[in-house]
Amino acid sequence: MDKFLAQLVEVQPAPEPWVIVVSAVFAFAVVSYTTSWHLTRGLVTIAHEGGHALMALLTRRKLEGIRLHSDTSGVTLTRGKPTGPGMVLTALAGYVAPSLLGLAGAWLTDQGRITMLIWVVLLFLVCMLLLIRNLYGALILLATGGALFALSMYAPDDIQQVVAYVAVWFLLFGGVRPIMELQRKRRRRQAGNSDADQLARLTVLPGGFYVFFFLLVAGASMFGGAYLMSPF
């Protein structure tokens, strides 16, 4: 346990600038290219639904479970008052969660806390696994968590560092694209039950305002994370 705690708080030296730049370019390509995005979008969905679940717990709504689907969609089931601040905050948390998680990850990588970042994400996945309510969701969480555990246990420090930077950049870039996709669906009237439209029904503000809010948080997180991780 002492050895594990020492590794958990260990500070790794900053990588070469080219590592950070290449990691950012690679993550941006994954998010931008349609095929790779569809293959990895489920990771953003995990963060999205985790955001809903965490906010539901913080606002004392009863959390009944989480479902992750093979089409990269997901749903978080809560029970409680159908209106009010708790419901509004729970609905707000989903689209901003990946970006805020990426910003927190950028801060940890900037501090050299790569091992701590990996284990914080592992703890997040374990908590979600306890709440998952479908087989596909459980398999995705087990696969993701298993890969992270193997990375932490067996990969050299420099490989852990590269993977951490790619993952953080992916969350920062990947937090923006679903919001843009949401707005396109709303224009075509294909997202009548989206988080933004639910928020519009819960409040006096239109759904477009919440799409703008999501995009503002995601954009600010992306630029903030880039500033923290910038090698220049």
Side-chain angles (χ1 to χ4, degrees), residues 109 132 164 229:
T109 54
I132 208 72
M229 295 188 292

Side-chain angles (χ1 to χ4, degrees), residues 16 18 28 49 55 59 70 92 107 115 117 120 145 195 198:
E16 295 292 332
W18 68 266
F28 183 79
E49 300 304 330
M55 187 56 69
T59 56
S70 58
L92 272 175
W107 181 78
T115 303
L117 172 61
V120 166
D195 291 353
Q198 289 184 46

Side-chain angles (χ1 to χ4, degrees), residues 49-106:
E49 300 304 330
H52 282 314
L54 177 60
M55 187 56 69
L57 292 174
L58 291 176
T59 56
R60 298 188 176 184
R61 292 184 61 80
K62 183 174 178 56
L63 185 58
E64 296 191 333
I66 302 170
R67 292 179 179 272
L68 302 172
H69 303 133
S70 58
D71 63 354
T72 73
S73 66
V75 62
T76 299
L77 306 172
T78 66
R79 190 170 61 190
K81 189 178 178 181
T83 59
M87 187 63 193
V88 170
L89 290 173
T90 299
L92 272 175
Y95 275 101
V96 301
S99 297
L100 293 178
L101 184 60
L103 182 60

Side-chain angles (χ1 to χ4, degrees), residues 4 7 119 148-155 160:
F4 170 74
Q7 290 177 338
W119 280 91
L148 278 178
F149 182 78
L151 176 74
S152 179
M153 290 291 101
Y154 305 114
Q160 292 184 29

